[in-house]
Amino acid sequence: DNKARIAKEKQVKNGIDLYISDQHYLQNLGKKIAKQFTGILKTSRRLHTVNKMTSKLLYRVTVLFEQVHLKRGQKITLHGDEFEILSVDRKVRLKNIKSSEKSIIKLDRLR
């Protein structure tokens, strides 16, 4: 949509690195992808430079999305117990198959 352009595309072991010209567009794109697919979204920034005229800090932003292939109703083994997945969002609701006990854990612990 001509708001940002892809400056560079790089093939890496687990996917593709895209270098995008507009950091705000990149952050919004990451949020949209995280809404659409199940996965872990991490956004980080690092100081790049300071503008000499305005003394503003300028940052480079990195957005990482790692897709996790989990579905509702899927059975997984965790710490020797078998669980059924009830729902997947930022947190995963699980039900122990033997004891019917429900629990909630963070998505990144299932990687």
Side-chain angles (χ1 to χ4, degrees), residues 57-103:
L57 302 176
L58 300 176
Y59 292 93
R60 293 270 167 100
V61 176
T62 302
V63 176
L64 169 71
F65 179 76
E66 184 177 349
Q67 189 172 9
V68 178
H69 299 283
L70 296 175
K71 293 181 182 176
R72 185 173 184 243
Q74 182 179 350
K75 293 179 176 34
I76 60 169
T77 304
L78 187 66
H79 304 299
D81 293 329
E82 194 168 336
F83 291 92
E84 179 183 355
I85 297 176
L86 299 176
S87 67
V88 179
D89 197 24
R90 291 183 186 184
K91 295 181 180 176
V92 180
R93 291 185 57 222
L94 301 171
K95 176 182 165 186
N96 191 323
I97 293 179
K98 291 181 183 174
S99 66
S100 296
E101 184 180 319
K102 295 179 182 175
S103 59

Side-chain angles (χ1 to χ4, degrees), residues 3 22 27 41 44 47 49 71 77 80 83 90 99 106:
K3 291 184 181 180
D22 185 4
Q27 291 173 4
L41 178 69
S44 60
L47 183 62
T49 188
K71 293 181 182 176
T77 304
F83 291 92
R90 291 183 186 184
S99 66
K106 289 185 178 179

